[in-house]
Amino acid sequence: MSATPAKIQEEVSAYLFKRFLAKDAKLDPSIPFSELGIDSMTVVELVMFLEERFGIEIPSDQLTGDNLKSLESLIACAVANQSS
């Protein structure tokens, strides 16, 4: 069963707050990760979390700057790669 974009965003956001962001930080899904102080290694960890938690495999050719730019773009990429 596929997870909804809202469910994926909810869980990835919770993971970000648990591991990397201050509890009072404002997380706008469209803001680039770099502006939130989230580096490329953290983004790789987010991809691994998505793949493990939701069983979504994101092909390596889709691990591009555009797809990994923000929470919004990462979720869109994950949803596009979900199995039905």
Side-chain angles (χ1 to χ4, degrees):
M1 176 185 281
S2 298
T4 65
K7 179 66 173 169
I8 295 172
Q9 180 173 322
E10 175 187 327
E11 292 202 26
V12 174
S13 295
Y15 183 79
L16 278 169
F17 279 104
K18 180 179 176 185
R19 302 264 305 150
F20 305 106
L21 298 175
K23 293 191 188 314
D24 60 348
K26 182 172 175 14
L27 180 58
D28 177 336
S30 66
I31 293 176
F33 285 131
S34 61
E35 290 182 26
L36 297 171
I38 296 172
D39 64 15
S40 60
M41 292 304 295
T42 303
V43 174
V44 169
E45 188 172 328
L46 290 175
V47 170
M48 291 176 9
F49 171 78
L50 275 168
E51 290 182 335
E52 184 176 308
R53 172 65 184 93
F54 296 102
I56 298 170
E57 186 175 329
I58 300 175
S60 59
D61 66 338
Q62 292 185 27
L63 298 176
T64 65
D66 286 341
N67 287 340
L68 304 177
K69 180 178 174 180
S70 65
L71 182 57
E72 183 175 70
S73 62
L74 177 58
I75 290 169
C77 181
V79 168
N81 284 286
Q82 280 193 109
S83 300
S84 303

